[in-house]
Every structure is written in structure tokens, then in C-alpha cells.
Amino acid sequence: MKHNFGAGPGILPHEVLKQAAQAVVDFNGIGLSILEISHRSAEFEAVLDEAVKLVKELLEVPEGYSVLFLQGGASQQFAMVPYNLLPEGGKAAYLETGVWANKAAKEAKYFGNLEVVATSKESNFNYIPKDYTVPADAAYFHITSNNTIYGTQLQNIKPSPVPMVADMSSDIFSRKINVADFGLIYAGAQKNMGPAGTTLVIVKDEILGKLDRKIPAMFNYQTLIEGGSMYNTPPVFAIYVSMLTLGWLKAKGGVAAMQKENDAKAAQLYREIDRNPLFKGVAAMEDRSKMNVCFVVENPEHEKPFLKLCDDKGIVGIKGHRSVGGFRASIYNALPTTSIHVLIDAMQEFAEKNK
Amino acid sequence: MKHNFGAGPGILPHEVLKQAAQAVVDFNGIGLSILEISHRSAEFEAVLDEAVKLVKELLEVPEGYSVLFLQGGASQQFAMVPYNLLPEGGKAAYLETGVWANKAAKEAKYFGNLEVVATSKESNFNYIPKDYTVPADAAYFHITSNNTIYGTQLQNIKPSPVPMVADMSSDIFSRKINVADFGLIYAGAQKNMGPAGTTLVIVKDEILGKLDRKIPAMFNYQTLIEGGSMYNTPPVFAIYVSMLTLGWLKAKGGVAAMQKENDAKAAQLYREIDRNPLFKGVAAMEDRSKMNVCFVVENPEHEKPFLKLCDDKGIVGIKGHRSVGGFRASIYNALPTTSIHVLIDAMQEFAEKNK
């Protein structure tokens, strides 16, 4: 039994994996694999429809928004957002809360001007800057709602005077959000939604089509919306597994229930980090992520033996990102509370051995 | 038992599907699904390395070429090719052999000038134009090696005076090609290589980096080459299944052996179409595709009952594209000869009933 704390591609629900494996051999008893049916078949159209419906239902997406399943990951959205929303000569505002936010911001410069409203780079992104103003003349304001590497998360996302664009790759579906506050939300599937290979985009239709720029079909949200995520062959299997995962989430009680569970999971783990004399948290208290819990050992010599202990207990994917060091426990929706307990037990056992 | 003649996403080898299903539950016995491991794990890096190695080996890719597994399908390549290769004010030459070739050509216009060297549009693309000259001042010359919808295929691809770019989505790995004749080859995986969700690109390094244009990271082949197809999270599962399929192909004797089998499969089916008085082929004889066999019934009233007969015999995916009508038997690498026989038997049975 493995306890998968990997940062992503990350853990998926066991029942989802079982059903996905069955579909790879024989999808819904039709005698064909999900991997070898046409994306234009009634069977797959039903999958895509259901996936879109679940997104709308689980996030209470209001009228006037389109839901897309695309390819290319969040990194492709970094470029598509300014391609579609930033006029030449115009300005885009970015909140720099980590290297991913930084990469997103850099792509804006290919299409217009960039204003970084605030950054926490000087302290290796261990907090979320709060003292900034979003310029009223910006084409949009971009945030990264959760910063996987540093274990920080925007706990209170305030509405913005200009369309707000959010990279929610690592916390989508983990907590309630007010979609109406956003112009565009995007998220790579591979943390809280499904396997690597598809990217969710939720976009307010009225912010599109306002530029003079001519945009190639595959980079143009409007083409992709008109094609209903099937302008070309979509990533069938990744969308199917995302649909299963969203169905699992709905059966668990939806986002509100999941948020409650995530809050409890995170609270237990942070409590142990704060209590245990051998460990300490990395991120500023008020900005601590409920998805990625980053911590270090007080004594650097404890790093390797603790990793070894984790390994012995089936705890995997817990090594911190090289730019932060230490440990990172990614505690996505599908991670059961029992795995949190196994990790806490390991921390306590380790403290006991090393006191 | 189904006989899957679908045009794509199409048939995959049974043993590949079995192994893929196992990996969705437990990958190589590591206690985790292939869907929930890090793309930076040693396990996945080995998969990607092996996939790239198999491509190089099976197609005898010479030195100086990079092999990439990307996302976005061939349609994204339609835009990335001119983005990276066509200077502003420059000219790109395209051979128009179908709507996909046409879509590819259209994207060039966002980046420079387009010259269509020849088209068979006037006869609904039922042949491959041969009487044209590739302009020596073009930045590149683009072809579509196989035209899925119309059942035509370039049987003799002559070297071009300028870098040749080929969309080989529906016939890659089906026959021997001389990679050295091409500047860039791309192919969506979902016909002869794997499931939907990844796109193979083979590019000659020296044709890149020659433009002044600044290209966002995800659209820039050079960034993607530097990242070794992992500039961002790749489509892990689609690459894994592609690796399995390429391994299966190698075990079958590689591309040369497959070509022999494909030639035999196509010959048997075309022979029946030409012999059977109820059916006739759609494409010009000399341009007939060995991957997509398009045919119609002489008497339109026979269309529905023949489809019904096919359905009764487990023959699926054989309805022709709406722009051509009739039938299309896609006979990709993984389609066994037995399925060809079942289809021929159905045609003969149908002719017997309707004589």
C-alpha cells in the first residue's frame, strides 16, 4: 500500500483507476477500448458532455461562461491568455507568487506590456503579497491561486476591477470559488481533476473577440468554443478519466464537502509540523496551502533518514522541490485521511527516535 | 468480437490494450498507477526515452533530427510549423490534397504568404496532383502524405528543393520513409501510433532558429527540444501507450514487415472492390491509400442494408466521411488480416444476396 503525496501528476481515487482500467480493455461493454473509439462517437460525446456538465455543476459556473477541455497544459494557457486577451500596446497585470506565475507573466511580453503588481521573489515566494493595486487600465489581472512549489495559496481572492485570470492547476475543485469573479480560469488536470493530458478552461464569453489580432485556430478560444472542445481530436482518455474523477467528487458530496475534508487534512498535518520540534513549516502561516504542505527539518542531517523512514512506510512523492528543499506533502482531493495519519505517525516516530 | 475499421482514434493492438489496462491499476508493479506518477520519475523518464528510441530505430531517423512527443494534435502543428519556419513576408508552399491540407495551409497566412502549388479540390480530392513545381524561394513545402477522408496517399514522395514538411498523421509507421528527405514530420498518434492525446514531431534541428520572430515557449520547437518533450508536464499515458504500440510494431518485424502486411491487406480489399459489381473505389487507382480504403455502392439503395450487414458481423467504423459518402475501411497497422477477410466475406455475401 502506497501513500501518494506526489505533487502531480498526483493521486487519483482508487475506484476511478479501476473503472479506467476496465474501459481501456472494454468501454461500457461495447467491445472496444476507450482508446480506439471515435471522438465523434455517441459514446465519447456523452463522456465529454457529462464532464462539462459536472464542471458546471460542481463549480456552479454561471451563465455566459464556456467550459473547455484542451491540451498543452497550463503552460500553453500562459501564452493563449495574452494571445486572446492582451491587445498590442496594452498592458497585463500579474501577481508574481512563484516560478509558474513568473513563466505565465513572461509569455505576456510576446503580445503586449507586462506589469508585475507585486512579487514575493525576495523571500523565495514563501508568502503571498497583499499590498498592491490592480491597475484599472490593465487588459486583465493574472493570479496563480495555489503555488505548488512553495506551499502557498491565496486564501481570499478578492474581485478585480479588470477581468481576473487564474491558474488554478493545483487547487481547482479543492475549495469553493466564485466563478463570477473571474474572466478566465485554467487548470492542468493532473492534480485534482484527472491524469496529465488535458487542461480545463472556464472562460467568460464576453471577454473574448475584442482584439484586432488574428489568432490561429488552435490558439483561439472562440474556435475551440465553437468546436465544443472538438475543433480537432481531443485527448479522449484524459477527458474520460477527468469525468470519472469529477463523478467521484460529486458522489463524495461535491466541492463543499471536499473543502471540509481538505481543511481537516491540512489542519492535522500543519498541527503536527508546528508541534513536532524536528520540523518546521516553510510558508507564511496565513498563506499556507491546503494542497501542498511544505516543511523542512530543523537539523539538515535529519533529511535523509526521514526520507528513508517515509520510504519504508510506503510514503512516496514527499521530497520537496529542489528550489525549496525539505519536504512537500501534496494532499490533493483523492489522498485519504488515512495517508495523512501514516505521515503524522512517521513524523512522531522519527521525533521519538531522534530526541 | 468487433472488427474496428474506424478512421481514428482507431484500432490498437489487443496486447497493448491489456498491458495499458494493467498499468492504469499498477504500473510495473510499483504499487502506483501510470496515471498518478510524476513525469519526472525514473519510471516515466524510462518510458519517454524508450518511446523516442523506438521512433528513431523504426524510422531510421538520421543524426541531426530531434524527436518530440507533444500535445495539441496535428492541428496545433498546422500553426506551429509557420510560426517557427515562415518568416514575415516569406512564402510557404502547400500541396492541397484535402480539407486537412487546406486547414494546414490556412494557418500559414497568419505568419506569412501562402502559395498553393496544386490542388485536386475540383474533383473532391479524389487524386493527388502531380504536375507542379515547388518554388525554390519558399521557406518550406508542406504535404499531407495520406488523406484519410478521400482515401488517397502520396505513393512516391520526391525530395523537395526546400525543407519538406509532412503531416503523416494517418500513415506514419505504415511504410518505409526516408526521414532525411524531410525538414519536419508530424503525426497525431491516434491512428497508427497510440491513443489520442499526443503528437509525434520529428524535426531537423538545423531548420530551426532562423527567424527573427519571438515565439512563446510552448509554441517554440527549440524550447520543446531543450526540455526533451518535458518543458511542461507531458501527456504521460498517451506517450506510454504509444511506446507500447511501437514496441509491438518492433516485435512484428518493424516498419518493413508492417508495410508488407499493409500492402497485402490493402491489395485484398481493393481486389474485392474492383471485382464486386456492387461496389466501386473512390480514389484514382494510382493514388489509392493503403490506410483508408474509400468505396461506394453502385446503387445508392444498397448503402443502408450493407451498413446493417456490417453491423451484424461486428464490423464497426466503416461509414464514409460525410464529404465523400459511402464507406471507408481504415486498415491501420493494428487491424488484423482476419478483419479484412470478414469485410470481404460481407461484401461477397451482400453481392450474392443482391444479384
Side-chain angles (χ1 to χ4, degrees):
Chain A
M1 172 74 185
K2 299 285 184 188
H3 303 281
N4 187 357
F5 289 89
I11 188 168
L12 288 172
H14 182 69
E15 45 270 59
V16 165
L17 295 173
K18 261 180 67 178
Q19 202 173 339
Q22 173 57 42
V24 167
V25 174
D26 185 2
F27 175 54
N28 285 358
I30 62 171
L32 294 169
S33 164
I34 180 83
L35 304 183
E36 51 177 7
I37 60 167
S38 170
H39 57 293
R40 302 278 174 202
S41 62
E43 287 86 0
F44 179 69
E45 288 198 344
V47 166
L48 180 56
D49 287 350
E50 177 68 10
V52 169
K53 203 180 123 216
L54 282 165
V55 170
K56 288 184 175 174
E57 189 181 333
L58 289 166
L59 295 178
E60 299 173 55
V61 177
E63 286 295 305
Y65 283 77
S66 294
V67 172
L68 297 169
F69 283 88
L70 305 179
Q71 293 187 63
S75 293
Q76 183 153 328
Q77 296 306 309
F78 295 170
M80 279 177 65
V81 163
Y83 215 149
N84 284 266
L85 299 178
L86 179 56
E88 227 177 299
K91 181 169 73 178
Y94 281 73
L95 180 63
E96 193 185 38
T97 53
V99 298
W100 293 107
N102 179 273
K103 283 190 181 193
K106 272 184 180 161
E107 300 296 70
K109 289 195 278 187
Y110 291 101
F111 303 95
N113 300 309
L114 166 66
E115 180 176 332
V116 175
V117 298
T119 180
S120 48
K121 195 175 182 180
E122 82 288 350
S123 62
N124 200 26
F125 302 115
N126 71 349
Y127 71 99
I128 303 290
K130 286 160 204 86
D131 188 22
Y132 59 84
T133 310
V134 177
D137 61 341
Y140 61 86
F141 172 51
H142 183 282
I143 60 169
T144 311
S145 60
N146 185 74
N147 300 279
T148 326
I149 295 176
Y150 317 93
T152 64
Q153 188 176 29
L154 275 72
Q155 298 303 344
N156 293 298
I157 302 177
K158 282 167 289 188
S160 148
V162 298
M164 184 156 50
V165 175
D167 177 357
M168 294 193 183
S169 291
S170 52
D171 68 353
I172 190 120
F173 298 113
S174 76
R175 58 173 174 174
K176 291 200 71 143
I177 52 165
N178 185 16
V179 174
D181 287 343
F182 299 88
L184 193 148
I185 292 167
Y186 62 89
Q190 66 270 14
K191 291 158 200 288
N192 261 326
M193 197 179 78
T198 191
T199 310
L200 175 66
V201 172
I202 304 169
V203 58
K204 193 171 189 172
D205 301 321
E206 67 174 40
I207 71 170
L208 300 174
K210 298 201 164 169
L211 308 192
D212 291 331
R213 183 181 294 130
K214 299 279 174 237
I215 309 168
M218 279 296 287
F219 306 149
N220 188 335
Y221 291 120
Q222 289 185 304
T223 323
L224 301 165
I225 290 169
E226 280 158 28
S229 296
M230 294 225 274
Y231 172 75
N232 71 337
T233 311
V236 169
F237 185 70
I239 295 174
Y240 172 67
V241 181
S242 297
M243 182 208 76
L244 293 178
T245 309
L246 295 174
W248 167 87
L249 176 55
K250 184 181 169 183
K252 294 260 298 180
V255 173
M258 188 50 72
Q259 179 168 6
K260 214 173 146 189
E261 209 174 301
N262 286 334
D263 285 352
K265 276 154 56 182
Q268 287 178 64
L269 187 50
Y270 281 120
R271 197 179 310 124
E272 178 61 21
I273 289 167
D274 293 339
R275 192 205 59 76
N276 193 315
L278 271 62
F279 299 93
K280 70 172 175 198
V282 165
M285 286 276 187
E286 73 274 18
D287 301 322
R288 281 176 162 180
S289 169
K290 285 161 181 162
M291 291 286 100
N292 310 96
V293 177
C294 294
F295 57 102
V296 292
V297 277
E298 295 278 3
N299 176 353
E301 288 182 7
H302 284 156
E303 193 157 318
K304 275 194 183 162
F306 182 64
L307 262 183
K308 171 76 175 63
L309 179 67
C310 286
D311 196 49
D312 292 345
K313 293 187 176 294
I315 293 168
V316 299
I318 202 168
K319 202 169 185 314
H321 190 272
R322 63 187 179 281
S323 64
V324 173
F327 307 95
R328 170 173 54 177
S330 298
I331 55 175
Y332 297 127
N333 286 355
L335 186 92
T337 302
T338 48
S339 292
I340 300 280
H341 293 161
V342 170
L343 176 56
I344 291 173
D345 287 350
M347 292 166 78
Q348 292 179 350
E349 184 182 321
F350 192 71
E352 194 60 36
K353 274 187 198 156
N354 291 282
K355 72 175 170 190
Chain B
M1 172 74 185
K2 298 286 185 188
H3 303 281
N4 187 357
F5 289 89
I11 188 166
L12 288 171
H14 183 68
E15 44 271 59
V16 165
L17 295 173
K18 261 180 68 179
Q19 203 173 337
Q22 174 57 42
V24 168
V25 174
D26 185 1
F27 175 53
N28 285 358
I30 62 171
L32 293 170
S33 165
I34 181 81
L35 304 183
E36 51 177 7
I37 61 167
S38 171
H39 58 293
R40 302 277 174 203
S41 62
E43 287 86 359
F44 180 70
E45 288 197 345
V47 167
L48 181 56
D49 287 350
E50 176 69 10
V52 169
K53 205 180 121 215
L54 282 165
V55 170
K56 288 184 174 172
E57 190 181 333
L58 289 166
L59 295 179
E60 298 173 56
V61 177
E63 286 295 304
Y65 283 77
S66 293
V67 172
L68 297 168
F69 283 89
L70 304 180
Q71 295 187 62
S75 293
Q76 183 153 326
Q77 296 307 309
F78 296 170
M80 279 177 64
V81 164
Y83 214 149
N84 284 266
L85 300 179
L86 178 56
E88 227 176 297
K91 181 169 73 178
Y94 280 73
L95 180 63
E96 192 185 38
T97 53
V99 298
W100 292 108
N102 178 273
K103 283 189 182 195
K106 274 185 180 161
E107 300 296 69
K109 290 195 276 185
Y110 291 102
F111 302 95
N113 300 310
L114 166 67
E115 181 175 332
V116 175
V117 298
T119 181
S120 47
K121 195 175 180 180
E122 81 289 350
S123 63
N124 200 27
F125 302 114
N126 71 349
Y127 71 99
I128 303 289
K130 286 160 206 87
D131 187 22
Y132 59 84
T133 310
V134 177
D137 61 342
Y140 61 86
F141 172 51
H142 183 282
I143 60 169
T144 311
S145 61
N146 185 72
N147 300 280
T148 327
I149 294 176
Y150 318 93
T152 65
Q153 188 175 29
L154 275 73
Q155 297 303 345
N156 293 298
I157 302 177
K158 282 168 288 189
S160 148
V162 298
M164 185 156 48
V165 175
D167 176 357
M168 294 193 183
S169 292
S170 51
D171 67 355
I172 190 121
F173 298 113
S174 75
R175 58 172 173 174
K176 292 201 70 143
I177 53 166
N178 185 15
V179 174
D181 287 344
F182 299 89
L184 193 149
I185 292 167
Y186 62 89
Q190 67 270 11
K191 291 160 200 289
N192 261 327
M193 195 179 79
T198 191
T199 310
L200 174 66
V201 172
I202 304 170
V203 57
K204 194 171 188 172
D205 300 321
E206 66 174 41
I207 71 170
L208 300 174
K210 299 202 164 169
L211 308 192
D212 291 331
R213 184 181 295 130
K214 300 278 174 240
I215 308 169
M218 280 295 288
F219 306 148
N220 188 334
Y221 292 119
Q222 289 185 303
T223 324
L224 301 165
I225 291 169
E226 280 158 30
S229 296
M230 295 226 273
Y231 172 74
N232 71 337
T233 311
V236 170
F237 185 70
I239 295 174
Y240 171 67
V241 181
S242 297
M243 182 209 77
L244 293 179
T245 309
L246 295 174
W248 166 86
L249 176 55
K250 185 182 169 183
K252 293 261 296 181
V255 172
M258 187 51 71
Q259 178 169 4
K260 213 173 147 189
E261 208 175 303
N262 287 332
D263 284 353
K265 276 154 58 181
Q268 287 179 65
L269 188 50
Y270 281 119
R271 196 178 311 125
E272 177 61 23
I273 289 166
D274 292 339
R275 190 206 59 77
N276 193 316
L278 270 61
F279 300 93
K280 70 172 175 200
V282 165
M285 286 275 188
E286 72 274 19
D287 302 322
R288 280 176 163 180
S289 168
K290 283 162 184 163
M291 290 286 101
N292 310 96
V293 177
C294 295
F295 57 102
V296 292
V297 277
E298 296 277 3
N299 176 354
E301 286 181 9
H302 285 155
E303 192 156 319
K304 275 192 183 163
F306 182 65
L307 263 183
K308 171 76 174 64
L309 179 68
C310 287
D311 196 50
D312 292 345
K313 293 188 176 294
I315 294 168
V316 299
I318 202 168
K319 203 171 184 312
H321 190 273
R322 63 185 179 283
S323 65
V324 173
F327 306 94
R328 170 173 55 179
S330 297
I331 56 175
Y332 297 127
N333 286 355
L335 186 92
T337 302
T338 48
S339 292
I340 299 280
H341 294 160
V342 170
L343 176 56
I344 290 173
D345 288 349
M347 291 167 79
Q348 293 180 349
E349 184 182 323
F350 192 72
E352 193 60 36
K353 274 188 198 157
N354 291 282
K355 71 175 170 191

